[in-house]
Amino acid sequence: QVQLIESGGGLVQAGGSLRLSCTASGLPFTGAGMGWFRQAPGREREFVARINRHGNSDYENSVKGRFTISRDNAKNTIYLQMNSLKSDDTAVYYCAASNSIGDLQRAPKYNYWGQGTQVTVSS
């Protein structure tokens, strides 16, 4: 059974930082594409960042230069370092894993999802 467990969310003031973690089990992690998505109240789930099995990454435009995704294959874990947080970053953040080598900016490409972790940025 595949499990993705997120942690690291919380309440932070605007301009602050948080680091999210997502630990995977039950899947061949080194071959998986991994991503972070988020969903704010009343909005659709949106792509934030992804990292493929080779370590290549990309980002949604509004987080470029502020967020960094990384992976530690020895720990079956990905991270999302979030700096210079804004109130617009407030959302539930989800970790996802994909067996696909296709467009990992699209949610349907992901096979497995975590339960989410709340990030709240106060202004």
Side-chain angles (χ1 to χ4, degrees), residues 3-111:
Q3 282 193 310
L4 302 175
I5 307 296
E6 301 105 331
S7 61
L11 173 64
V12 64
Q13 289 189 332
S17 298
L18 283 174
R19 188 176 81 154
L20 306 183
S21 301
C22 170
T23 300
S25 60
L27 81 163
F29 183 80
T30 56
M34 302 294 295
W36 288 100
F37 288 74
R38 65 187 179 186
Q39 188 167 17
R43 301 185 63 174
E44 293 187 355
R45 190 170 298 189
E46 65 174 4
F47 167 76
V48 176
R50 65 88 176 167
I51 187 165
N52 68 13
R53 56 186 176 176
H54 304 296
N56 300 315
S57 60
D58 61 20
Y59 301 89
E60 191 271 330
N61 284 338
S62 71
V63 309
K64 284 180 181 178
R66 301 189 298 123
F67 290 10
T68 303
I69 188 171
S70 60
R71 66 190 297 160
D72 184 338
N73 288 340
K75 297 182 178 179
N76 282 11
T77 299
I78 65 167
Y79 304 96
L80 185 68
Q81 178 66 44
M82 304 186 295
N83 298 329
S84 302
L85 283 160
K86 306 175 182 179
S87 56
D88 286 349
D89 296 318
T90 294
V92 177
Y93 283 70
Y94 297 91
C95 169
S98 174
N99 298 322
S100 172
I101 59 173
D103 181 4
L104 294 181
Q105 292 192 14
R106 298 178 60 242
K109 286 292 186 179
Y110 289 84
N111 308 95

